[in-house]
């Protein structure tokens, strides 16, 4: 009887495939990223790990009950254990020893959620008749994820942004439940339903019977990692989207209403600041409002994109007159582009210190770009927009209708999700 530890994975499936017209059965084993090093935002982990072992045993073992225990031991202390019975496993149907005298079989098992709560190296100990160390596994926590205000603005401009992440674990003896959640702002509704804000869980959590207890040192802050990762779609985590199509439609309606009034530039600045989703097309990583340019100027918005471009945006009022009767760029709009040109000159003379003010290094930024948002698309001729594009090749331009239409488009995309 021999047990080997092969590693851990979050992805595991074991499907027996019957090949058509043949008696042969193909065992398809799928373990992606088998590893002995686990990097995780939280400890205890919020996703299940499969521990993969190879068992070798004589075929006739089927008739002898054998108990196997696997223990995770750190600094001489047993942190987690599980046991299974080989005879029971054989009955489960995955095992088909026939002719050979020795059978090797891969098996996967899981430990209880709360048992591994501190980083470091754990020995994987196997106990059949006696104990043998069959491997090691290292748990390595990611540094706590702290979000700057600029990053939170940017996350809110992402249509897939997450409003909160919640989960629950329960003691299998006293049945006490720990329901927890995290979010950028506390959620009264969740708290009414018994969810505790992750940062307020006691440092050492223990249920009333004491069976389920763990340190939350690597949990309380670590869980925030998931707020910035809209790709998490974990079944065991409850993830609430910040935007549903209803919410987005509401923002679009209010924006359209605001456009129909004679509101000032500042009111639009404020509206976009409160609803950064209007800037979703920039794929922002950070968004700053009223950002200084070398203490000489101030942009309306400065965006760092995920592709490391810095985009400086000037907004003018929607009512601004854009074109002359002959279809050329009118004075007010020209003035807006002149401002971009002033910023560009100042920055190109002091690129390094400008980026340093933003907290970036000169080499990490791919490009610095400039953008005007102004006016309405209205009935202006296409030719006029061509003139504008030609005259200001190096600068970006959008009307308020472009912003609105992009949001409406987003609503229909979210509807299709
Ligand atoms: Zn309990």
């Amino acid at each position: 009887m021999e047990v080997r530890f092969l590693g851990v994975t979050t992805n595991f499936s074991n499907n027996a495939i019957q090949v058509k017209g043949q008696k042969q059965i193909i065992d398809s084993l799928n373990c992606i990223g088998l590893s002995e090093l686990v990097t995780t935002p939280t400890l205890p982990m919020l996703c299940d790990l499969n521990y993969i072992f190879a068992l070798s045993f004589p075929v006739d073992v089927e008739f002898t009950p054998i108990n196997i225990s696997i223990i995770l031991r750190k600094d001489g202390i047993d942190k987690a254990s599980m046991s299974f019975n080989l005879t029971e496993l054989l009955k489960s149907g995955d095992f088909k020893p026939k002719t050979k005298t020795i059978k090797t079989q891969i098996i996967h098992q899981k430990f209880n959620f709360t048992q591994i709560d501190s980083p470091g190296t754990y020995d994987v100990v196997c106990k059949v008749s006696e104990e043998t160390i069959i491997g090691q596994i290292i748990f390595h926590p990611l540094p706590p994820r702290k979000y700057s205000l600029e990053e939170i603005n940017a996350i809110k401009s992402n249509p897939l942004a997450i409003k909160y992440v919640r989960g629950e674990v329960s003691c299998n003896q006293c049945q006490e439940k720990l329901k927890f959640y995290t979010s950028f702002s506390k959620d009264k509704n969740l708290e009414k339903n018994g969810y505790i804000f992750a940062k307020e869980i006691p440092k050492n959590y223990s249920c009333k019977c004491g069976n389920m207890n763990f340190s939350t040192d690597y949990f309380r802050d670590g869980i925030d990692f998931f707020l910035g990762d809209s790709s998490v779609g974990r079944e065991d985590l409850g993830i609430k989207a910040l935007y549903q199509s209803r919410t987005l439609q509401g923002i679009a309606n209010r924006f359209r209403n605001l456009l129909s009034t004679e509101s000032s530039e500042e009111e639009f600045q404020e509206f976009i600041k409160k609803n950064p989703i209007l800037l979703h097309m920039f794929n922002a990583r950070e968004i700053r409002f009223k950002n200084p340019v070398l203490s000489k100027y101030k942009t309306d918005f400065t965006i760092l994109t995920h592709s490391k471009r810095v985009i400086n945006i000037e907004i003018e009022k929607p009512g601004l007159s854009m074109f002359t009767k002959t279809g050329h760029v009118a004075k007010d709009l020209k003035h807006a582009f002149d401002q971009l040109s002033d910023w560009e000159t100042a920055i190109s003379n002091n690129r390094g210190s400008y980026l340093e003010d933003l907290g970036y290094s000169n080499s990490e930024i791919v490009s610095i770009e400039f953008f005007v948002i102004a006016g309405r698309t209205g009935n202006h001729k296409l030719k006029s927009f061509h003139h504008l594009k030609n005259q200001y090749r190096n600068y970006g331009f959008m009307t308020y209708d472009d912003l609105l239409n992009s949001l409406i488009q987003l609503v229909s995309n979210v509807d299709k999700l």
Side-chain angles (χ1 to χ4, degrees), residues 205-225:
Y205 172 80
S206 175
C207 67
K208 58 176 179 265
C209 81
N211 175 54
M212 176 168 84
N213 65 82
F214 58 94
S215 151
T216 57
D217 284 354
Y218 296 93
F219 190 84
R220 276 169 298 168
D221 294 326
I223 189 176
D224 285 355
F225 170 88

Side-chain angles (χ1 to χ4, degrees), residues 118-154:
S118 64
T121 304
Y122 290 67
D123 286 331
V124 182
V125 179
C126 176
K127 190 173 164 190
V128 184
S129 48
E130 56 191 46
E131 286 188 358
T132 327
I133 295 177
I134 56 170
Q136 283 187 325
I137 174 164
I138 300 167
F139 290 94
H140 184 75
L142 292 167
R145 186 70 178 88
K146 300 237 190 307
Y147 297 92
S148 67
L149 202 58
E150 292 77 20
E151 285 175 312
I152 295 173
N153 293 334

Side-chain angles (χ1 to χ4, degrees), residues 72-128:
L72 291 191
R73 185 174 291 163
K74 188 181 167 229
D75 306 324
I77 297 164
D78 289 2
K79 301 289 280 189
S81 71
M82 59 182 170
S83 21
F84 45 92
N85 183 287
L86 191 56
T87 320
E88 291 301 312
L89 275 181
L90 293 174
K91 278 187 200 151
S92 73
D94 280 353
F95 289 63
K96 296 160 205 79
K98 285 277 180 290
T99 49
K100 289 181 203 151
T101 51
I102 293 284
K103 167 77 179 170
T104 299
Q105 182 69 40
I106 308 266
I107 64 155
H108 68 106
Q109 295 285 320
K110 291 169 182 176
F111 284 104
N112 189 328
F113 162 84
T114 55
Q115 292 174 314
I116 298 143
D117 63 355
S118 64
T121 304
Y122 290 67
D123 286 331
V124 182
V125 179
C126 176
K127 190 173 164 190
V128 184

Side-chain angles (χ1 to χ4, degrees), residues 124-305:
V124 182
V125 179
C126 176
K127 190 173 164 190
V128 184
S129 48
E130 56 191 46
E131 286 188 358
T132 327
I133 295 177
I134 56 170
Q136 283 187 325
I137 174 164
I138 300 167
F139 290 94
H140 184 75
L142 292 167
R145 186 70 178 88
K146 300 237 190 307
Y147 297 92
S148 67
L149 202 58
E150 292 77 20
E151 285 175 312
I152 295 173
N153 293 334
I155 287 169
K156 287 180 178 167
S157 80
N158 180 348
L160 300 175
I162 288 166
K163 186 176 182 190
Y164 62 70
V165 174
R166 68 176 183 190
E168 54 181 70
V169 282
S170 54
C171 170
N172 51 21
Q173 287 183 15
C174 71
Q175 315 300 328
E176 183 177 306
K177 262 187 186 166
L178 170 64
K179 295 159 89 178
F180 56 84
Y181 81 100
T182 189
S183 172
F184 288 126
S185 50
K186 285 202 180 186
D187 193 303
K188 284 203 182 94
N189 252 333
L190 283 176
E191 301 203 347
K192 228 182 272 170
N193 288 307
Y195 287 90
I196 303 173
F197 194 50
K199 288 187 177 48
E200 293 171 358
I201 305 175
K203 201 171 144 50
N204 287 297
Y205 172 80
S206 175
C207 67
K208 58 176 179 265
C209 81
N211 175 54
M212 176 168 84
N213 65 82
F214 58 94
S215 151
T216 57
D217 284 354
Y218 296 93
F219 190 84
R220 276 169 298 168
D221 294 326
I223 189 176
D224 285 355
F225 170 88
F226 297 102
L227 291 174
D229 182 1
S230 51
S231 66
V232 283
R234 296 239 164 79
E235 285 164 23
D236 44 348
L237 276 185
I239 291 184
K240 163 96 169 171
L242 182 58
Y243 299 114
Q244 270 128 18
S245 71
R246 200 160 30 95
T247 336
L248 294 175
Q249 187 65 60
I251 297 172
N253 291 344
R254 280 184 287 132
F255 192 56
R256 189 186 286 114
N257 289 341
L258 191 64
L259 281 174
S260 67
T261 64
E262 276 295 308
S263 302
S264 66
E265 181 191 319
E266 285 71 29
E267 281 170 275
F268 283 95
Q269 161 94 29
E270 205 49 41
F271 189 89
I272 297 171
K273 188 174 168 181
K274 280 193 186 130
N275 300 284
I277 190 71
L278 281 160
L279 302 172
H280 71 95
M281 65 290 284
F282 292 105
N283 190 17
R285 191 188 167 90
E286 292 179 12
I287 300 180
R288 291 173 161 77
F289 304 111
K290 293 281 176 204
N291 191 67
V293 178
L294 295 156
S295 66
K296 261 181 163 171
Y297 308 105
K298 238 179 199 145
T299 70
D300 288 315
F301 306 109
T302 293
I303 293 174
L304 171 72
T305 71

